[in-house]
Amino acid sequence: MKLLKRDKNNEVILAPTLKRAYYRASLMNKGAKLQFKIGIILLAIPLFLFLINLVYRPYDITTMNMAERFQAPGLRHWFGTDNYGRDVFVRVLSGLPLTVLISIGINLIGCLVGLIIGALSGYFGGSIDYWGNRLSDALLSIPVILMGMLFVATFGDGIWQVIVALGIMFIPSYMRVIRSGFLEYRQRNFVKRLQLLGASSNRIIWLHLFPLIRIRLLSAIALGFANAILAESSLSFLGLGVPPTQITWGGMLKDAQGFIFQAPWSAIAPGLMIVTIVLGCFFISNGLKHLTEKGSLQ
Amino acid sequence: MNKLELTNQANPEYTLKVEHLKVVSTQGAELVRDVSLAIKPGEIVGLVGESGSGKSITTMAIVGILPDGISIAKGKILFQGQDITRISADERCGINGNKLGIIYQDASQALNPLMRIGKQIDEVLKIHTDLSLSERQDRVLGTMRAVNLPDVKNLAKRYPHELSGGQRQRVLIAMAIINNPQLLIADEPTTALDVTVTAQILDLIKIINESKQISVLYISHDFSTVNKLCDRVFVLYAGIPVEIGSVKQVIENPQHPYTELLLESIPTKEKRGQKLLRMKGRTQDPRGPALNCQFADRCPKAFGRCRQELPPMYQVTPGHTAACFLLNNKGE
Amino acid sequence: MSERTNNLLELRNIYAGYSGSIRKMNHVLQDLSLSIKNNECVGLIGESGSGKTTLANIITGFLQPISGQILFQDNSIEKLALKKRAKQLSYNIQMVFQDPYSSFNPRKTIGYQLMEPLVIQKRFAEEEIEAKAYESLEQVGLAPDYFLRYPHQLSGGQLQRAALGCSLIMTPRLLIADEPVSSLDVSVQAQVLDLIQDLREKLEFSCLFISHDLAVIYHLCDTVAVLDQGSIVEYGPVEKVFENPQNDYTKQLIFSMGY
């Protein structure tokens, strides 16, 4: 029987992954499982519409058609048309990849930086922890909108500016989650035992402590994804960041407010998209949170 | 005392009488399988067992604080002749803290960290009596003196964290006895305490028992404290009492192999440097229905019958019974 | 070699404490001296708050003493930081903790955690490591199929035995046992005590056995040190101390245990 498998870092890996995954899934209780499923279904709706839109795209996103202004939702225009006679369905779904990409970018920055600062300050404590916390306090004291305006004013409009500005703002929330996880586990005796064995801090942090908080982190990422969509949409709604030539849901909402009583559907469609995705992420995050609570065995 | 006499006597003779108690979880695990015990007024009864023996679950069932998903499947708990297995929350309130005092294991967790000691003790009186403020105050201070707390007037104004572990345990005892209960349940009250403090607390419980004629149900895993404190002892194994008798009978002349080996595994002066454990290590207990002797797998003396039938209680001497087929053979 | 003492570990005039928030320093250990000979089992007894765990932390290096000397095999080690110290001593001081559940990473198998010390040390080949881990599992009386189990699938006693295996797989010269049996049941406690005794005969290591239970100390140890308020108030061979205690506090302890 060959037991020693090694990963890229030449570290021994032992546990059969599938078995472990099954064991974790069995820890999820019914309520958490239901929430998780609802979340997946909610996220599947926009994705499904997007896939339809990939093959069925009867209208161009920019071509105006004055004859068909303010058409109510129907068979010809599923979500109706706006003030220039453009099809709302096509426009809403063409905004999806950009919104999702921006969200992913924001969370990537927030999560990576937050993970490193949080892990170091949680594990080492002392002055590293002190300055890590001051940094996060400083970031928390800046309003998101202000930070967005600052970046746009300094570096001009653009998608990257939005991603970096919001990414920085998302660092503290990730840092808190990870720091508290590390704080909780670094008190355990097994960490002391490993230190006595001369294990490097790197090994303890990434091989022992990080896997213990992985699910907690996933839950935070799901939540962060929802928050990033909300933050990006509000920036676009104010006309900051993403250039008006790019279609974003926040931008569509801003356009729609001028004629909201003539064509409420042009506001409802992007609004519903935001709500569905945000709700879906919340449910997934909640389901995962339950898993962490049960999964963090003594 | 003869076992037959025990059962023939009328119920109110006993402060607490548990009859064939069976506690199961929703998954069907039998946590307490068949426990019967009786405590007479003024008696100190010890309930001894290792973790998983069902001693804590039995206590929780008596006090009525079984966790969710665990319930009483069979049996009666008679407190002063009244069945308290299925009473309402209001009735339960009238009993707990009033006629039934409870001392918990961890005093630092059983006390509210933000409330002054005096007020916490007073609260018990407030709930259960109609005394005026000054009457209550007198009684709080009196009870605090009775449990040997020093400088009571000053101490009553302190917060729990300002007290030592032993003092906190004394405060808990004061809360438990302030309403002059008929029964005091002490759930491992000394495990978190130091050796010297343990001795003092045991002395205190003994004094309370003697002066006020309060019955005590003392739950522990430690034979040495039971030896010092109790009159009679019940040894539990896997949810079934395996040996019952006076402390002297059980400790000096254990009849059930489990009791014998458990007593042997306590390090003493004479056994220095010798092997302590002669029984096999514990195996996982599936907690199904008990069809045979639960100890048979670990028992060095087990024979065929032990694995087929559940042994009944055999009487060794009057008042001393044990559930082991070996005793049957001796009789024949 | 001739000028070497027989002492494996020697503590000289140790002062230690934690920096409190209001007062400058809370002294937990005051002028403490203690020596542990080769293959000797020293029992350390004291009530909660007497500084037992602080002493363990000083020896292992989790806490730096304020002043004083620590000699391990006649080499001064008190100035070395934790990781350096572990390396310099070639992992000769290992520790077993009170709570067996927190001694293991809940998400790694027992086998992984048994092999880890050897993997970190990088002294053996893969196959050797695995064989050694199985050997150590057998040594502490656990069946080979525990190798692939997770900590939550083991009972407290089994975990404590596995923890002993983890610490002893490095063949340390000194094992610090911080109340290793006080959270266990009587029969399980007996089992672990028997095991420690067996392993001491087989592997010949010194042991600092910290406990608040006199009976356990008397059972296992050669020498006993009584700690009271941060200093050692009585020290000597176990029988001598138990039969003829000099210090009032020791007398009280022994009396309350009924010895």
Short mmCIF file of all heavy atoms in Angstrom, two decimals, chain B residues 256-277:
data_model
loop_
_atom_site.label_atom_id
_atom_site.label_comp_id
_atom_site.label_asym_id
_atom_site.label_seq_id
_atom_site.Cartn_x
_atom_site.Cartn_y
_atom_site.Cartn_z
N HIS B 256 -18.40 -6.75 41.42
CA HIS B 256 -18.44 -6.73 39.96
C HIS B 256 -17.02 -6.54 39.43
O HIS B 256 -16.29 -5.69 39.94
CB HIS B 256 -19.35 -5.61 39.47
CG HIS B 256 -19.76 -5.76 38.04
ND1 HIS B 256 -18.93 -5.40 37.01
CD2 HIS B 256 -20.88 -6.25 37.48
CE1 HIS B 256 -19.54 -5.66 35.86
NE2 HIS B 256 -20.73 -6.18 36.12
N PRO B 257 -16.61 -7.31 38.42
CA PRO B 257 -15.24 -7.16 37.90
C PRO B 257 -14.91 -5.74 37.48
O PRO B 257 -13.77 -5.29 37.64
CB PRO B 257 -15.22 -8.10 36.69
CG PRO B 257 -16.32 -9.06 36.90
CD PRO B 257 -17.35 -8.38 37.74
N TYR B 258 -15.91 -5.01 36.97
CA TYR B 258 -15.63 -3.64 36.53
C TYR B 258 -15.23 -2.78 37.72
O TYR B 258 -14.22 -2.07 37.67
CB TYR B 258 -16.86 -3.06 35.84
CG TYR B 258 -16.72 -1.60 35.48
CD1 TYR B 258 -15.78 -1.18 34.54
CD2 TYR B 258 -17.51 -0.63 36.09
CE1 TYR B 258 -15.62 0.15 34.23
CE2 TYR B 258 -17.37 0.71 35.78
CZ TYR B 258 -16.43 1.09 34.85
OH TYR B 258 -16.28 2.41 34.54
N THR B 259 -16.01 -2.83 38.79
CA THR B 259 -15.67 -2.05 39.98
C THR B 259 -14.29 -2.43 40.50
O THR B 259 -13.49 -1.57 40.85
CB THR B 259 -16.71 -2.32 41.09
OG1 THR B 259 -17.98 -2.50 40.51
CG2 THR B 259 -16.75 -1.19 42.07
N GLU B 260 -14.06 -3.73 40.51
CA GLU B 260 -12.79 -4.23 41.03
C GLU B 260 -11.61 -3.66 40.23
O GLU B 260 -10.66 -3.12 40.79
CB GLU B 260 -12.82 -5.76 40.94
CG GLU B 260 -11.76 -6.44 41.74
CD GLU B 260 -11.82 -7.94 41.53
OE1 GLU B 260 -12.94 -8.46 41.27
OE2 GLU B 260 -10.77 -8.58 41.61
N LEU B 261 -11.73 -3.76 38.90
CA LEU B 261 -10.63 -3.30 38.05
C LEU B 261 -10.51 -1.78 38.05
O LEU B 261 -9.41 -1.25 37.96
CB LEU B 261 -10.83 -3.82 36.63
CG LEU B 261 -10.71 -5.34 36.52
CD1 LEU B 261 -11.17 -5.83 35.17
CD2 LEU B 261 -9.28 -5.76 36.78
N LEU B 262 -11.64 -1.11 38.18
CA LEU B 262 -11.62 0.36 38.22
C LEU B 262 -10.90 0.82 39.48
O LEU B 262 -10.06 1.72 39.45
CB LEU B 262 -13.05 0.88 38.20
CG LEU B 262 -13.23 2.35 37.86
CD1 LEU B 262 -12.73 2.61 36.45
CD2 LEU B 262 -14.69 2.74 37.96
N LEU B 263 -11.22 0.16 40.60
CA LEU B 263 -10.55 0.50 41.85
C LEU B 263 -9.06 0.19 41.77
O LEU B 263 -8.23 0.92 42.30
CB LEU B 263 -11.19 -0.26 43.01
CG LEU B 263 -12.53 0.29 43.48
CD1 LEU B 263 -13.24 -0.71 44.35
CD2 LEU B 263 -12.33 1.60 44.22
N GLU B 264 -8.75 -0.89 41.09
CA GLU B 264 -7.34 -1.25 40.95
C GLU B 264 -6.56 -0.25 40.12
O GLU B 264 -5.36 -0.11 40.28
CB GLU B 264 -7.23 -2.63 40.29
CG GLU B 264 -6.80 -3.70 41.24
CD GLU B 264 -6.77 -5.03 40.54
OE1 GLU B 264 -6.22 -5.09 39.43
OE2 GLU B 264 -7.29 -6.00 41.10
N SER B 265 -7.26 0.41 39.20
CA SER B 265 -6.54 1.30 38.29
C SER B 265 -6.25 2.67 38.91
O SER B 265 -5.64 3.51 38.27
CB SER B 265 -7.30 1.45 36.97
OG SER B 265 -8.53 2.09 37.21
N ILE B 266 -6.70 2.88 40.14
CA ILE B 266 -6.35 4.14 40.81
C ILE B 266 -4.97 3.98 41.44
O ILE B 266 -4.74 3.04 42.19
CB ILE B 266 -7.38 4.46 41.92
CG1 ILE B 266 -8.77 4.58 41.32
CG2 ILE B 266 -7.01 5.73 42.65
CD1 ILE B 266 -9.87 4.60 42.33
N PRO B 267 -4.04 4.88 41.12
CA PRO B 267 -2.71 4.72 41.70
C PRO B 267 -2.74 4.95 43.21
O PRO B 267 -3.35 5.91 43.68
CB PRO B 267 -1.88 5.79 40.99
CG PRO B 267 -2.84 6.71 40.36
CD PRO B 267 -4.12 5.99 40.19
N THR B 268 -2.15 4.06 43.98
CA THR B 268 -2.05 4.25 45.43
C THR B 268 -0.62 4.00 45.86
O THR B 268 0.25 3.63 45.06
CB THR B 268 -2.96 3.26 46.18
OG1 THR B 268 -2.56 1.95 45.82
CG2 THR B 268 -4.41 3.47 45.88
N LYS B 269 -0.39 4.17 47.13
CA LYS B 269 0.94 4.04 47.70
C LYS B 269 1.51 2.64 47.44
O LYS B 269 2.67 2.47 47.10
CB LYS B 269 0.85 4.30 49.20
CG LYS B 269 2.05 5.00 49.72
CD LYS B 269 1.76 5.55 51.10
CE LYS B 269 2.96 6.29 51.60
NZ LYS B 269 2.78 6.92 52.89
N GLU B 270 0.66 1.63 47.63
CA GLU B 270 1.15 0.26 47.57
C GLU B 270 1.50 -0.15 46.13
O GLU B 270 2.34 -1.01 45.92
CB GLU B 270 0.10 -0.72 48.12
CG GLU B 270 -0.18 -0.58 49.60
CD GLU B 270 -1.02 0.65 49.90
OE1 GLU B 270 -1.89 0.98 49.07
OE2 GLU B 270 -0.79 1.30 50.93
N LYS B 271 0.82 0.46 45.16
CA LYS B 271 0.97 -0.01 43.78
C LYS B 271 2.05 0.72 43.02
O LYS B 271 2.14 0.64 41.81
CB LYS B 271 -0.37 0.15 43.05
CG LYS B 271 -1.34 -0.97 43.37
CD LYS B 271 -2.62 -0.82 42.61
CE LYS B 271 -3.49 0.23 43.24
NZ LYS B 271 -4.88 0.21 42.87
N ARG B 272 2.91 1.46 43.72
CA ARG B 272 3.88 2.33 43.06
C ARG B 272 4.72 1.55 42.05
O ARG B 272 5.31 0.52 42.36
CB ARG B 272 4.78 2.95 44.12
CG ARG B 272 5.89 3.74 43.53
CD ARG B 272 6.29 4.88 44.41
NE ARG B 272 7.10 5.73 43.59
CZ ARG B 272 8.42 5.87 43.76
NH1 ARG B 272 9.02 5.26 44.75
NH2 ARG B 272 9.10 6.64 42.95
N GLY B 273 4.76 2.04 40.83
CA GLY B 273 5.61 1.43 39.81
C GLY B 273 5.03 0.18 39.17
O GLY B 273 5.60 -0.35 38.23
N GLN B 274 3.90 -0.29 39.68
CA GLN B 274 3.31 -1.49 39.08
C GLN B 274 2.36 -1.10 37.96
O GLN B 274 1.98 0.05 37.82
CB GLN B 274 2.53 -2.28 40.14
CG GLN B 274 3.42 -2.90 41.18
CD GLN B 274 2.60 -3.46 42.33
OE1 GLN B 274 1.37 -3.49 42.27
NE2 GLN B 274 3.28 -3.90 43.36
N LYS B 275 1.98 -2.13 37.20
CA LYS B 275 0.95 -1.90 36.18
C LYS B 275 -0.38 -1.60 36.86
O LYS B 275 -0.72 -2.20 37.88
CB LYS B 275 0.79 -3.15 35.32
CG LYS B 275 1.82 -3.27 34.24
CD LYS B 275 1.27 -2.68 32.95
CE LYS B 275 2.32 -2.64 31.88
NZ LYS B 275 3.46 -1.77 32.20
N LEU B 276 -1.13 -0.66 36.28
CA LEU B 276 -2.39 -0.28 36.91
C LEU B 276 -3.59 -0.96 36.27
O LEU B 276 -4.52 -1.37 36.95
CB LEU B 276 -2.57 1.23 36.80
CG LEU B 276 -1.62 2.09 37.62
CD1 LEU B 276 -1.77 3.53 37.23
CD2 LEU B 276 -1.90 1.92 39.09
N LEU B 277 -3.57 -1.07 34.96
CA LEU B 277 -4.78 -1.48 34.27
C LEU B 277 -4.69 -2.94 33.85
O LEU B 277 -3.76 -3.34 33.17
CB LEU B 277 -5.01 -0.60 33.05
CG LEU B 277 -6.39 -0.73 32.42
CD1 LEU B 277 -7.42 -0.07 33.31
CD2 LEU B 277 -6.41 -0.12 31.05
#
